[in-house]
Amino acid sequence: MSWNDFRRRQQAIQTVLDDASRNPSEALTQVPAPFLDATDALRALQYKWTQQLTGRIGVALAETDDAPHADRVQAVTAAWRRTAEANPVLRDLLDRHESDPVLRSDMAREHRLLAVAAGLAEHTEPADDAARVGRAFRQLVRITPEPSPQCIGGRLRKLIPSF
C-alpha cells in the first residue's frame, strides 16, 4: 500500500465516521472509495478501533509494570473506556454492526486481547475460551459505571498502594 492509498483509506474512514455522526443508521449505505462495500469499510473501522485499543492497553500495562500494586483488570478497563471516550462515533458504529458475521472473527480477537491483557486468560488457552472470557469482561466494562473519585471505595483503592 502506497502513502497515497493509505491517505485515501484514512479519508474514506473519516468520511464514514462523519456520515455516522450525522446519521448513524445510514452511515454504511454508500461507502466511499477505495472501499468496495460496507463489509470492507466495517473491517477497516474495526481495524482502526483495534489499533487504538491495543495502543492504549499497551500503555496501561506498561504503567502497571511500574506500580507494585497495580491491577491489570483496572488498567485494561480504563484503556477500553478511554478508547471508547476518544472514539464515540466509531464505537457506536461498531456496536450497531456487532452482530454482523463479517466482524465475528475480528471481535473474537478483540475479546481474546482483552482477556489476556487483563490477566483473565492465558495466551495458551483455547482461543474460543479466551474469547468467551473477554466478551464477558467487555460486557462488564460497558455496563459497570466508572467509580467516582468521591466514593469511599474509590478512596480506599487509592490508599491501598500507599501502605
Side-chain angles (χ1 to χ4, degrees), residues 6-157:
F6 174 77
R7 283 189 212 104
R8 282 184 47 208
R9 285 181 68 80
Q10 294 306 306
Q11 287 173 342
I13 287 171
Q14 191 56 53
T15 298
V16 170
L17 292 173
D18 290 344
D19 291 347
S21 70
R22 287 188 296 276
N23 190 353
S25 61
E26 299 292 319
L28 292 171
T29 55
Q30 292 183 348
V31 295
F35 298 125
L36 303 174
D37 54 20
T39 297
D40 196 23
L42 268 175
R43 286 189 171 134
L45 291 164
Q46 179 64 37
Y47 182 72
K48 179 180 179 70
W49 167 262
T50 302
Q51 281 185 308
Q52 293 192 28
L53 178 62
T54 302
R56 282 188 176 87
I57 287 173
V59 169
L61 292 180
E63 290 172 354
T64 63
D65 289 343
D66 296 337
H69 299 289
D71 183 344
R72 291 175 64 104
V73 169
Q74 283 183 332
V76 174
T77 298
W80 193 94
R81 286 181 173 156
R82 279 193 298 270
T83 307
E85 287 169 7
N87 301 280
V89 175
L90 174 60
R91 184 68 259 158
D92 180 60
L93 192 55
L94 291 172
D95 288 346
R96 288 175 179 274
H97 296 278
E98 188 171 15
S99 61
D100 192 317
V102 168
L103 294 181
R104 189 171 294 138
S105 65
D106 294 335
M107 294 298 296
R109 272 192 298 278
E110 177 185 332
H111 296 149
R112 285 191 301 273
L113 166 71
L114 291 170
V116 171
L120 302 172
E122 296 293 328
H123 69 278
T124 55
E125 289 185 38
D128 289 345
D129 292 346
R132 249 188 319 279
V133 170
R135 184 173 42 256
F137 173 71
R138 193 186 76 157
Q139 288 171 334
L140 286 172
V141 167
R142 293 176 77 167
I143 64 170
T144 305
E146 197 165 354
S148 165
Q150 289 77 28
C151 77
I152 294 173
R155 289 181 184 162
L156 289 175
R157 281 190 170 262

